[in-house]
Amino acid sequence: MSLDDTRNIIIKVADRLFSRFGFHKTSMDEIAKIARKAKGSLYYHFASKEELFKEVVSKEINKLKHTLSNIIEDPDLDASEKIKKYLVDRMVVLNDSANYHETLRADFFEHFDFIDSLRTDLDNWEKENLKKIILQGIENGEFAPVKEMDVLLDMFIMVLKGLEIPFFLQEKYDKYSPYFEGLMGILIKGLAP
Amino acid sequence: MSLDDTRNIIIKVADRLFSRFGFHKTSMDEIAKIARKAKGSLYYHFASKEELFKEVVSKEINKLKHTLSNIIEDPDLDASEKIKKYLVDRMVVLNDSANYHETLRADFFEHFDFIDSLRTDLDNWEKENLKKIILQGIENGEFAPVKEMDVLLDMFIMVLKGLEIPFFLQEKYDKYSPYFEGLMGILIKGLAP
DNA sequence: AACTGACTAAAAAACATTAACAGTCAAAAA
DNA sequence: TTTTTGACTGTTAATGTTTTTTAGTCAGTT
């Protein structure tokens, strides 16, 4: 059994248990038992429970980034199509990211600030990549030039994060997802010249 | 000292103390002391601590509704101007509504569901009134007809509520308020034909 | 190097006790 | 009759103590 196998088994089991019970209600003993490893083995591969959880959330985030990067790099899409697909697929992927949902509560609970850097990194990544799309649109004449684009993007990311709470924590995504594209369409139209 | 005077004194003191210490950390004994009334007098006028807090939050909400109603009924504004002013002034008024800010946490804490009806009522009121503006815009040809307007408005209200968390709980409003109008402008432009 | 299982200090949970609190109500005051 | 009071009480919250669980450690084994 190679190094990677044990590590991946731990991650896989942790993903399952954290998804189901949340960070605080999942113990390292449980993860070890179900992974059929000694608890010390978990600590050989991960510095702490927090690092393990971050690894699990990072995998979800990387999956999201991968999906969105494909959209951004697709040469067949113009900027409007890209941003629409970005926004829609973003919610689709995040809807299935149970551990990510837990991070949405971070602002309201103590002992969860170790997650802040992950969330900040994702915000920065998103800002950067949305900006790419918008700049592409401006260059191609699809979008009007935008003043103060950086702050507007900050706020727009707040909007997206704010929507995640009713969608994923209050389970409203299923009800509203068929119409989300329509709302984003209005916004994208507002970007046009 | 008339009936209304005592009641108003209680409300005024409660507003101050709840604003400063929050609902859970303000006791009825304290409110009574500072209002120079017996605690039993508070219960003569208000059925419970919860009802007193709701009264205080309602006053903030009524102030908001009053401000926004003036905008909606202003005959000198077209629909675009109305909705822009609505959205901007909405945040201005809510920024000063400390007790309302506390209700934003309701979804994350127990023992606060007595506030739900207030929040639902405000959502419904907002939906109704935003719809009025949009319908006015559609009638006058300022806005394109909107499909599924009701669900889109639901989501838009989620967007506004979602923005309240960084703005008012994370104290980002001062930083971003100068640019909020710009973001709303893009959205309003997207409503145009 | 990777893994184990016994161990331990710290944190969390459970339990017990005390203090604070929301709410009550008969009596007093207006 | 209405409004207000202040003493009272059951419930809840806070505090303190004890027990259990947990994250993390590490010498020994593979």
Side-chain angles (χ1 to χ4, degrees), chain B residues 99-113:
Chain B
N99 291 299
Y100 177 84
H101 299 174
E102 196 169 4
T103 72
L104 302 179
R105 292 191 177 96
D107 290 336
F108 296 95
F109 295 96
E110 298 187 22
H111 312 306
F112 228 171
D113 43 359

Side-chain angles (χ1 to χ4, degrees), chain B residues 16-141:
Chain B
R16 254 171 60 212
L17 295 186
F18 284 143
S19 285
R20 184 156 170 214
F21 301 113
F23 175 75
H24 293 292
K25 295 287 184 178
T26 303
S27 71
M28 294 298 263
D29 257 339
E30 282 181 274
I31 294 171
K33 261 190 219 134
I34 288 166
R36 297 173 187 275
K37 302 291 169 188
K39 195 165 55 166
S41 199
L42 272 50
Y43 287 95
Y44 179 79
H45 289 272
F46 301 95
S48 62
K49 186 183 181 185
E50 297 179 350
E51 291 299 316
L52 177 56
F53 185 68
K54 279 164 75 173
E55 182 67 38
V56 166
V57 175
S58 287
K59 277 190 166 296
E60 289 178 347
I61 290 175
N62 287 337
K63 187 177 170 190
L64 174 69
K65 287 180 178 175
H66 181 76
T67 300
L68 300 182
S69 293
N70 285 340
I71 294 167
I72 292 161
E73 282 147 25
D74 188 334
D76 295 332
L77 300 177
D78 68 17
S80 286
E81 284 162 344
K82 277 185 183 180
I83 199 165
K84 184 171 284 191
K85 199 163 163 52
Y86 179 109
L87 296 172
V88 170
D89 288 6
R90 180 184 183 280
M91 291 294 179
V92 170
V93 173
L94 288 180
N95 189 41
D96 288 327
S97 307
N99 291 299
Y100 177 84
H101 299 174
E102 196 169 4
T103 72
L104 302 179
R105 292 191 177 96
D107 290 336
F108 296 95
F109 295 96
E110 298 187 22
H111 312 306
F112 228 171
D113 43 359
F114 68 93
I115 280 287
D116 285 349
S117 61
L118 279 194
R119 299 176 68 212
T120 303
D121 288 348
L122 178 59
D123 287 352
N124 292 336
W125 186 92
E126 288 216 79
K127 186 174 168 183
E128 194 183 302
N129 284 279
L130 283 170
K131 196 170 170 180
K132 277 190 200 165
I133 303 181
I134 294 174
L135 287 179
Q136 173 186 336
I138 292 173
E139 250 180 60
N140 296 342

